[in-house]
Each structure stands twice: as structure tokens, then as C-alpha cells.
Amino acid sequence: MPKYYEDKEEDGRACGGVREDLRQCLLESPCVLQENKSPKQCLSEGHCRSLQMTFFACKRSMVSGCSVFSSARDL
């Protein structure tokens, strides 16, 4: 369950709530806790995949708005 809406400090960065949830998911995963792997390694193995996809979609939605301006310039 996403926790970004609960009592947390404002991150100020783009997609900060999802970023924090992804971070917590990785740090609490059995991959990190029991197998002593790095969060980056666990992420590449497929842990917390749904939050990773949500974070990617959030970041991509911010970039896609810029393409509107560049295509209007080319007209």
C-alpha cells in the first residue's frame, strides 16, 4: 500500500512520494534484509517492480510535456 500520502515531510523533488515508497520497499525487502544485497541489485532482480514502474511513469509524464513545446516550435 502506498505510504506517500501519510504524515511525511515534503520532499520537494518530482515524484518524491513514490520515490520514498520505492526506497522503503527495497530497504524492507527480503533481498536486502536476508540476502544482504544492495537495493540497486534487488531492483534489477525484479523486487518492488510495481513501484518502480509507477516511479518511471511519473518521471516520464514530467518529460513528455516538454515535447509539446518542441513540436510547436517546428511548425
Side-chain angles (χ1 to χ4, degrees):
M1 176 91 150
K3 300 177 186 176
Y4 60 87
Y5 56 85
E6 294 179 4
D7 298 328
K8 287 191 176 184
E9 296 178 18
E10 277 296 317
D11 189 352
R13 293 188 285 183
C15 308
V18 180
R19 179 192 316 263
E20 178 64 25
D21 284 348
L22 178 59
R23 183 180 155 278
Q24 277 303 116
C25 178
L26 286 169
L27 292 176
E28 294 172 358
S29 70
C31 180
V32 171
L33 295 176
Q34 296 170 357
E35 299 174 23
N36 295 323
K37 294 182 181 178
S38 71
K40 184 175 182 178
Q41 195 174 9
C42 294
L43 191 62
S44 68
E45 291 177 1
H47 295 273
C48 305
R49 182 63 68 187
S50 62
L51 282 171
Q52 182 186 18
M53 297 304 289
T54 302
F55 181 65
F56 175 74
C58 179
K59 295 292 276 188
R60 191 170 80 184
S61 71
M62 297 185 66
V63 175
S64 65
C66 296
S67 64
V68 172
F69 296 114
S70 64
S71 64
R73 183 184 63 201
D74 294 335
L75 293 176

